[in-house]
Amino acid sequence: MEYLYKCVQIYVDVMNNLYVVPTSRSEKWGGAIMEIDLITQLNSPYTDDELEETLLKAMQLCYTKEPSDDLKSTAIEKFLNVKGYGRAVKDKKLITFEWSKETGFTVTPTCKLQKKGYINLGDNEIFVLGHDFEKDALANAVRECITLSIIK
C-alpha cells in the first residue's frame, strides 16, 4: 500500500538519549496517527551515521504494525515501563520527523508546555530536507532541533 504521509516521534531525554517511535493509523479511532510498539533507543553519544540509520529504519517501520487501540498505555509508556504518558515524557523534548509525498522529509522541533503537551515551534523552525537529502543533513537537522526544542 502506498502512503502519502509518515511520522516518527523522537523523544530526547536529559542525557540526549533518543527514543525513536514510528507511527501507524488506527482504524478504531477514525484514522488517528498513533505511536506503535516498535521503539528504538539510541544512547548518547551516537554518530551521525547511527542517527540517520536509526531514523530511516524507523520511518520504514511506519504502518507495519497496528497501534494499540485500548488507550490504556502508549507505546512510550510500555517501553519505559512507566504508568502515565505525562510521567513517561517528563523532562523529555520531542522532535517530529515526517515524510510526505508532496514535501519529502521534514524535521520539526517542539515546545513542551507543562500540563498542555507539545506544540511545534513554528513554520520558521521546520527543517525541510526534501525528497533527497545529502549525507548528514538529517543528523544535522535533528541535532539542531534538539537544541531548539524546549520544555517550559
Side-chain angles (χ1 to χ4, degrees):
M1 179 173 199
E2 184 180 2
Y3 295 98
L4 302 177
Y5 172 82
K6 294 181 180 182
C7 179
V8 172
Q9 307 280 50
I10 307 164
Y11 294 97
V12 185
D13 70 16
V14 295
M15 302 297 290
N16 278 341
N17 299 315
L18 306 182
Y19 303 89
V20 181
V21 189
T23 60
S24 188
R25 178 166 276 121
S26 169
E27 297 306 321
K28 179 178 178 180
W29 298 106
I33 301 293
M34 299 172 65
E35 296 176 355
I36 56 176
D37 297 332
L38 296 174
I39 297 176
T40 302
Q41 182 173 343
L42 187 60
N43 291 324
S44 183
Y46 36 82
T47 66
D48 288 351
D49 286 344
E50 290 171 324
L51 178 55
E52 289 190 353
E53 181 181 327
T54 299
L55 295 176
L56 293 172
K57 280 184 182 176
M59 188 64 74
Q60 291 175 346
L61 290 173
C62 289
Y63 302 108
T64 60
K65 183 177 181 179
E66 291 288 318
S68 175
D69 288 333
D70 64 15
L71 299 183
K72 290 181 181 171
S73 59
T74 63
I76 193 74
E77 288 173 75
K78 291 176 191 171
F79 185 82
L80 296 174
N81 198 24
V82 174
K83 288 199 183 274
Y85 179 77
R87 288 182 59 208
V89 299
K90 181 178 169 61
D91 300 328
K92 288 184 181 60
K93 296 177 179 180
L94 176 69
I95 298 161
T96 58
F97 173 44
E98 298 168 299
W99 172 88
S100 72
K101 187 173 183 176
E102 187 176 299
T103 310
F105 293 97
T106 59
V107 183
T108 307
T110 67
C111 172
K112 183 179 183 201
L113 300 173
Q114 295 300 326
K115 300 185 182 187
K116 292 187 179 181
Y118 296 98
I119 59 168
N120 290 349
L121 285 182
D123 291 341
N124 293 338
E125 305 297 336
I126 296 174
F127 291 81
V128 180
L129 303 176
H131 291 285
D132 297 309
F133 52 86
E134 294 182 18
K135 184 176 179 344
D136 297 336
L138 174 57
N140 291 337
V142 170
R143 289 183 191 278
E144 185 66 22
C145 285
I146 291 171
T147 302
L148 291 171
S149 293
I150 54 176
I151 299 173
K152 288 190 175 181

